[in-house]
Amino acid sequence: MATTRMDLDGRPIKPITICMIGAGGFIGSHLCEKLMSETPHKVLALDVYNDKIKHLLEPDSLPWAGRIQFHRLNIKHDSRLEGLIKMADLTINLAAICTPADYNTRPLDTIYSNFIDALPVVKYCSENNKRLIHFSTCEVYGKTIQSFLPKDSPLRQDPAYYVLKEDTSPCIFGSIEKQRWSYACAKQLIERLVYAEGAENGLEFTIVRPFNWIGPRMDFIPGIDGPSEGVPRVLACFSNNLLRREPLKLVDGGQSQRTFVYIKDAIDAVLLMIENPDRANGHIFNVGNPNNEVTVRQLAEMMTKVYTKVSGEPALESPTIDVSSKEFYGEGYDDSDKRIPDMTIINKQLGWNPKTSLWDLLDSTLTYQHRTYAEAIRKAMVKPTAS
Ligand SMILES: NC(=O)c1ccc[n+]([C@@H]2O[C@H](COP(=O)([O-])OP(=O)(O)OC[C@H]3O[C@@H](n4cnc5c(N)ncnc54)[C@H](O)[C@@H]3O)[C@@H](O)[C@H]2O)c1
Ligand SMILES: O=C(O)[C@H]1O[C@H](OP(=O)(O)OP(=O)(O)OC[C@H]2O[C@@H](n3ccc(=O)[nH]c3=O)[C@H](O)[C@@H]2O)[C@H](O)[C@@H](O)[C@@H]1O
């Protein structure tokens, strides 16, 4: 690195070693890419899989060879974990089960993964005085207060009832039989534990609440690089439908609202947290794009338009189809109605703002999906079934 990197307060940034748990996933792969191409930091990359970071690990001639080291391990049961945390200056924990199709169908695995398996990570960081950046979720907010107001209430227009703020918004989940909330509840408890370790034992921590980060390498395309019956998050579900020329499935009418942020914008925010510990420690940060709000139905319509442009293929006559949540996800599903992040804290502490519009981020992401999967899907679809 020719020029010295400076932090937000004009001080030179010292190269550090980062223990990144879950480095082989969607967010981890983008974060590793950024750290290798733009910083001098070292990464100990821990995961059970490394397919999404293979391009960073091989061949040995890559400019960052020696700065990234992959350790294949499952944090549920691996005695190497504490040693790796001790070797690093900072631990970033991304490991989790985080696809809604699992929350109501595999609630035990979901709770274990998001709470129990994260406990030793927090403990080792606290005991060894190591800084921790823990990945939580915007789902800890659950439903908005607005969703409980009468349909004709003028208060529904007031942002105080729906914009989600780290330090004042309540966490509103459904009943226990709505097992959808197993994930949000486990994430909330691990946030409280991390926060308490900070308060009682001086753990230096930052908690990240991502709001629907999307982009290339998110999840998998069923039957191509993941199980045929698997249900990934919405970007991959809709990409799969578009690639296969099937109607996009709108769960319960596609009325829920989301704000989507481009993964590359969000990664800039994480890098600011990594390199500005004095400004990031002790904080919980919403990371999202309040300007990119759509209903899921609008997302489906926009993805259909963008994909038509990218692939050159006309859209289907009926591009979407309605399905019930029970049919799509099974018993115990429930949904967040609306997710708009308040940006005050991240703005004040780190001066971060998202840049990419929804149209532009879908354009680059669907271009990637088409380039990566269209041929494989075509081959899979013409393959004669074994008799
Ligand atoms: N993508 C988003 O928009 C989003 C939104 C909210 C929260 N998050 C949180 O961010 C984190 C990363 O999300 P992602 O989208 O990259 O998910 P991902 O599923 O792509 O990545 C998670 C990675 O963790 C690994 N992992 C899981 N359990 C492990 C274990 N026991 N040992 C070792 N590795 C393990 C997985 O193999 C996977 O590679 C998660 O904690 C998730 O809850 C993500
Ligand atoms: O990304 C986030 O910020 C968080 O939210 C996600 O939750 P959710 O947004 O509900 O998950 P998606 O699978 O992306 O679904 C978004 C919406 O699309 C709908 N959907 C999904 C898939 C589909 O084919 N059709 C469809 O209408 C869902 O019902 C939901 O209303 C996941 O819980 C986590 O990855 C994460 O913590």
Side-chain angles (χ1 to χ4, degrees):
M1 215 76 9
T3 51
T4 312
R5 295 173 63 76
M6 297 294 191
D7 70 14
L8 291 171
D9 298 301
R11 296 173 299 212
I13 294 166
K14 288 199 206 95
I16 56 166
T17 300
I18 300 169
C19 172
M20 197 190 297
I21 306 168
F26 164 58
I27 296 177
S29 72
H30 286 274
L31 188 53
C32 287
E33 215 164 71
K34 182 87 173 176
L35 288 165
M36 290 305 109
S37 60
E38 291 182 27
T39 80
H41 307 308
K42 287 190 180 146
V43 173
L44 307 171
L46 282 52
D47 206 305
V48 267
Y49 306 110
N50 68 6
D51 315 30
K52 294 184 185 184
I53 51 170
K54 269 227 163 84
H55 63 293
L56 300 173
L57 303 171
E58 295 160 7
D60 286 347
S61 56
L62 288 167
W64 47 77
R67 281 204 289 118
I68 180 162
Q69 210 178 70
F70 178 67
H71 298 262
R72 192 178 301 279
L73 61 86
N74 186 331
I75 60 164
K76 271 184 195 300
H77 41 68
D78 200 302
S79 56
R80 288 174 292 171
L81 179 63
E82 184 170 13
L84 289 161
I85 288 176
K86 278 189 182 172
M87 277 166 67
D89 304 287
L90 161 70
T91 293
I92 301 181
N93 189 9
L94 294 151
I97 288 178
C98 52
T99 37
D102 292 320
Y103 308 162
N104 58 317
T105 56
R106 300 169 56 205
L108 285 176
D109 287 341
T110 301
I111 294 166
Y112 272 77
S113 166
N114 284 285
F115 181 67
I116 308 283
D117 300 347
L119 287 176
V121 177
V122 181
K123 180 169 163 260
Y124 296 147
C125 287
S126 191
E127 286 174 356
N128 295 292
N129 297 317
K130 299 291 183 180
R131 187 179 170 218
L132 171 67
I133 298 182
H134 188 82
F135 270 71
S136 180
T137 172
C138 60
E139 284 212 15
V140 296
Y141 294 109
K143 301 180 187 224
T144 63
I145 303 173
Q146 185 207 55
S147 69
F148 295 91
L149 295 172
K151 290 271 176 283
D152 55 357
S153 167
L155 293 179
R156 279 184 166 256
Q157 310 310 318
D158 183 344
Y161 295 95
Y162 61 79
V163 172
L164 303 168
K165 293 187 187 221
E166 297 93 330
D167 49 355
T168 55
S169 295
C171 302
I172 310 175
F173 305 152
S175 65
I176 302 300
E177 66 206 34
K178 296 285 186 204
Q179 296 203 72
R180 157 60 183 258
W181 302 108
S182 58
Y183 168 76
C185 194
K187 286 281 202 197
Q188 187 197 150
L189 191 54
I190 198 74
E191 276 201 25
R192 290 192 185 275
L193 185 104
V194 168
Y195 198 92
E197 280 289 349
E200 289 192 30
N201 295 326
L203 172 70
E204 291 186 337
F205 73 87
T206 302
I207 290 170
V208 187
R209 290 183 180 166
F211 280 64
N212 291 79
W213 299 8
I214 61 174
R217 296 198 290 271
M218 186 168 198
D219 298 337
F220 58 91
I221 295 298
I224 303 297
D225 54 6
S228 313
E229 300 307 313
V231 180
R233 286 170 285 187
V234 68
L235 174 83
C237 284
F238 286 175
S239 300
N240 183 40
N241 297 145
L242 290 164
L243 285 153
R244 293 178 190 274
R245 296 190 60 71
E246 298 165 351
L248 280 59
K249 293 181 176 157
L250 297 179
V251 172
D252 293 339
Q255 292 311 304
S256 297
Q257 290 167 292
R258 296 288 187 271
T259 51
F260 293 95
V261 64
Y262 192 35
I263 181 71
K264 291 186 193 298
D265 288 352
I267 290 294
D268 288 343
V270 182
L271 189 57
L272 285 167
M273 293 174 208
I274 294 172
E275 297 193 324
N276 293 276
D278 295 347
R279 287 166 175 261
N281 283 345
H283 286 283
I284 299 177
F285 291 114
N286 285 344
V287 182
N289 188 335
N291 305 318
N292 282 348
E293 190 184 32
V294 279
T295 63
V296 174
R297 179 177 290 276
Q298 288 165 334
L299 174 74
E301 288 163 1
M302 202 186 269
M303 285 182 67
T304 304
K305 264 196 208 137
V306 172
Y307 194 68
T308 300
K309 175 187 156 249
V310 164
S311 67
E313 292 164 11
L316 298 179
E317 213 165 290
S318 308
T320 59
I321 182 169
D322 284 352
V323 292
S324 72
S325 53
K326 192 164 171 201
E327 207 181 316
F328 192 79
Y329 288 113
E331 207 65 65
Y333 182 74
D334 199 359
D335 208 353
S336 302
D337 52 305
K338 186 174 175 78
R339 289 182 182 159
I340 301 190
D342 182 86
M343 296 275 93
T344 312
I345 296 183
I346 194 157
N347 240 298
K348 174 163 172 269
Q349 294 304 119
L350 302 172
W352 177 82
N353 278 305
K355 297 193 226 56
T356 315
S357 70
L358 187 55
W359 178 275
D360 287 351
L361 76 86
L362 289 177
D363 194 348
S364 47
T365 305
L366 290 178
T367 302
Y368 170 89
Q369 303 288 57
H370 186 67
R371 194 166 9 99
T372 311
Y373 295 108
E375 187 57 20
I377 296 247
R378 198 188 56 76
K379 284 193 183 139
M381 289 176 75
V382 296
K383 212 190 267 170
T385 45
S387 52

